[in-house]
């Protein structure tokens, strides 16, 4: 079978699995009643479909691109909860192709195929592509940004496109914004043979692309609320939730009286009403904790790092393991029986792949270095705040590429007889 035909089959199989999950998940009592953040996103989308495209008269509390994405679907078709899930299933299947091309370009075709199949069968991806949450849109934008960045540096043109894609992704999941300066440094390194002035000139279209994506949101926040907020105003609160002396209690707070009390602190304690000032209030609270209790803060970061690499899928809006009872497919693709599958298998294989790439000098190549930079930057950005399955999700496709590389290399070593060396040393 030709490569193109195999890719079509892969896309169709991945799409079919996701449609099956959508069909099975209709048994869930929450199928037509999105919870917490998903509820606010769908409500905002419905308001937009009714003509409120300005998004209200306050600064955006959450990054706004995802509700606009759903709002456009609602404006073009009748509002509902099935059509967006079908569209998201198509995006999820397309991620398989993007990961294939990324793995093929950076390592080898075999790595691309293994990683693409991993994406097709990855249970948490299937689950979240059936939820109304922004990672489902951020994932293809991230993968496209990495692919176009690799192609743009080869052709030395259209560097504005990956910048634009990363900016759009940051309007879905703001953590991605941390990767923009890292990608800029990667560009400077990649063009290191050129004169310094030319190297920095290469950054201009890339950074302008990101700015063009983000600037309309910043301008809208200023015009609607007279408040200078780059994307959304929830960063300070989220940073405080993940960095305070009572982390376990704070991170468990859900919408209700306790949440209302937490979010009201800037107004009640300091009379602060402006959104940007409220965000700074929570940032200041977190920095005070870091300054006054540095050892406790360090222990907390180590604990969050452990949570990130642990196999468990930590729910935020909905318990992923609770959703298994409504889908046989999810029961197969997501489970905990000693091993928390699939991330409990993915994480060690990805770390093996990273180690092998390092040992063989692959990180000195542009492709692997770019993927490592993205993964490292994104992991640190999540650990800096707090851990949940949905926040971890955007880095999973990149980890799947390294896991595919690591798994393939281990198999090659086994076939070469390396296992005999291991046995003889026991």
């Amino acid at each position: 079978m030709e490569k193109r035909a195999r890719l079509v089959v892969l896309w169709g199989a991945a799409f079919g699995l996701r449609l099956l999950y959508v069909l099975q998940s209709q048994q869930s009592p929450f199928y037509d009643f999105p919870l917490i953040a998903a509820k606010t996103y769908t409500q905002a989308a419905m308001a937009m479909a009714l003509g409120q495209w300005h998004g209200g008269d306050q600064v955006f509390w959450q990054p706004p691109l995802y509700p606009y994405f759903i709002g456009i679907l609602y404006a073009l078709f009748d509002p509902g909860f099935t059509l967006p899930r079908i569209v998201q299933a198509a995006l999820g299947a397309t991620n398989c192709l993007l990961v294939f091309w990324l793995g093929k370009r950076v390592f080898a075709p075999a790595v691309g195929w293994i990683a693409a199949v991993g994406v097709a069968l990855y249970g948490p991806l299937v689950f979240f592509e059936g939820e109304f949450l922004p990672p489902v849109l951020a994932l293809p934008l991230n993968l496209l940004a990495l692919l176009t960045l690799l192609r743009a540096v080869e052709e030395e043109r259209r560097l504005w496109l990956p910048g634009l894609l990363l900016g759009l992704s940051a309007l879905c999941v703001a953590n991605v914004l941390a990767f923009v300066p890292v990608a800029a440094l990667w560009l400077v390194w990649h063009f290191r043979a050129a004169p310094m002035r030319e190297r920095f000139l290469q950054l201009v279209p890339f950074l302008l692309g990101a700015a063009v994506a983000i600037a309309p949101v910043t301008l809208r926040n200023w015009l609607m609320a007279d408040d200078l907020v780059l994307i959304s105003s929830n960063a300070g609160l989220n940073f405080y939730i993940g960095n305070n002396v009572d982390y376990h209690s704070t991170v468990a707070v859900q919408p209700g009286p306790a949440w209302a009390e937490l979010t009201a602190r800037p107004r009640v304690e300091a009379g602060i009403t402006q959104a940007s000032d409220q965000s700074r209030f929570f940032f200041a609270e977190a920095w005070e904790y870091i300054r006054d209790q540095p050892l406790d803060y360090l222990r907390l970061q180590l604990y969050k790092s452990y949570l990130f690499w642990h196999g468990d899928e930590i729910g935020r809006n909905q318990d992923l393991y609770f959703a298994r009872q409504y889908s046989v497919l999810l029961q197969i693709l997501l489970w905990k029986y000693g091993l928390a599958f699939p991330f409990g298998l993915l994480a060690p294989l990805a770390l093996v792949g990273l180690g092998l790439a390092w040992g063989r000098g692959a990180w000195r190549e542009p492709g692997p270095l770019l993927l490592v930079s993205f993964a490292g930057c994104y992991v640190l950005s999540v650990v800096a705040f707090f851990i949940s399955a949905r926040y971890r999700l955007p880095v999973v496709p990149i980890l799947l590429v390294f896991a595919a590389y690591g798994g393939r290399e281990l198999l090659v070593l086994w076939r070469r007889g390396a296992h005999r060396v291991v046995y003889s040393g026991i």
Side-chain angles (χ1 to χ4, degrees), residues 77-417:
F77 308 96
D78 290 334
F81 298 107
T82 298
L83 177 64
R85 286 182 165 102
I86 294 174
V87 174
Q88 292 181 174
L91 286 177
T94 303
N95 288 337
C96 298
L97 306 186
L98 297 176
V99 165
F100 165 75
W101 287 319
L102 194 61
K104 175 187 174 184
R105 177 179 285 268
V106 173
F107 289 112
V111 172
W113 283 116
I114 296 168
V117 171
V119 172
L121 299 175
Y122 196 80
L125 283 172
V126 174
F127 170 82
F128 280 109
E129 286 153 9
E131 295 294 308
F132 293 95
L133 294 168
V136 72
L137 186 56
L139 275 165
L141 289 171
N142 290 341
L143 294 170
L144 281 169
L146 293 171
L147 282 167
T148 56
L149 191 54
L150 288 170
R151 183 169 182 175
V153 295
E154 288 178 0
E155 300 176 352
E156 295 191 22
R157 63 191 182 97
R158 290 192 298 214
L159 279 165
W160 58 270
L161 182 56
L164 179 71
L165 291 166
L166 285 174
L168 291 173
S169 180
L171 297 182
C172 297
V173 177
N175 304 50
V176 176
L177 195 61
F179 178 64
V180 172
V182 175
L185 291 174
W186 179 85
L187 283 171
V188 172
W189 170 84
H190 187 273
F191 293 114
R192 59 192 179 279
M196 185 64 70
R197 181 174 179 275
E198 185 176 332
R199 290 162 66 183
F200 282 98
L201 282 176
Q202 296 282 7
L203 298 180
V204 174
F206 172 75
L207 296 176
L208 279 178
V212 165
I214 296 170
V217 174
T218 307
L219 180 62
R220 178 264 170 205
N221 286 336
W222 175 261
L223 293 176
M224 297 302 298
D226 194 28
D227 196 1
L228 188 59
V229 174
L230 187 65
I231 296 175
S232 58
S233 63
N234 62 350
L237 176 60
N238 285 337
F239 189 69
Y240 171 77
I241 288 173
N243 298 279
N244 68 84
V245 70
D246 199 17
Y247 167 82
H248 293 284
S249 297
T250 309
V251 80
V253 173
Q254 296 289 347
W259 179 261
E261 181 180 352
L262 175 62
T263 57
R265 283 190 56 202
R267 298 190 300 275
V268 173
E269 298 178 18
I272 298 172
T273 57
Q274 196 169 50
S276 59
D277 291 334
Q278 290 182 6
S279 183
R280 280 190 283 272
F281 172 90
F282 284 112
F283 270 121
E285 289 279 298
W287 286 118
E288 182 179 352
Y289 158 70
I290 295 169
R291 183 184 66 247
D292 294 345
Q293 302 189 50
L295 292 180
D296 188 66
Y297 168 73
L298 179 59
R299 284 192 293 267
L300 180 57
Q301 304 316 298
L302 293 174
Y303 174 69
K304 289 190 290 182
S305 299
Y306 161 77
L307 291 180
F308 185 97
W309 291 104
H310 194 268
D312 279 4
E313 301 292 340
I314 302 173
R316 184 70 181 159
N317 281 50
Q318 184 177 343
D319 186 351
L320 279 70
Y321 300 105
F322 174 82
R324 294 176 70 252
Q325 64 185 297
Y326 302 107
S327 170
V328 175
L329 177 64
L330 200 61
Q331 291 173 20
I332 297 171
L333 301 181
L334 174 69
W335 41 263
K336 284 194 299 183
Y337 300 107
L339 172 74
F341 182 85
F343 195 83
L345 178 63
L346 168 63
L349 280 176
L351 292 173
V352 167
L354 287 163
L356 289 173
W358 173 271
R360 296 176 180 181
W363 290 14
R364 291 192 290 269
E365 298 296 322
L369 180 60
L370 181 65
L371 296 193
V372 167
S373 299
F374 178 86
C377 181
Y378 191 84
V379 170
L380 289 175
S381 74
V382 174
V383 171
F385 286 79
F386 59 92
I387 313 300
S388 79
R390 102 179 201 223
Y391 299 146
R392 183 170 68 182
L393 199 69
V395 79
V396 162
I398 308 306
L399 295 181
L400 279 166
V401 171
F402 280 105
Y405 173 75
R408 189 194 68 158
E409 293 304 302
L410 287 177
L411 181 60
V412 169
L413 290 173
W414 182 270
R415 287 176 174 174
R416 288 176 179 172

Side-chain angles (χ1 to χ4, degrees), residues 40-58:
T40 63
Y41 285 123
T42 52
Q43 287 177 339
M46 289 179 182
M48 291 171 184
L50 293 173
Q52 299 180 26
W53 294 103
H54 53 76
D57 58 358
Q58 300 297 318

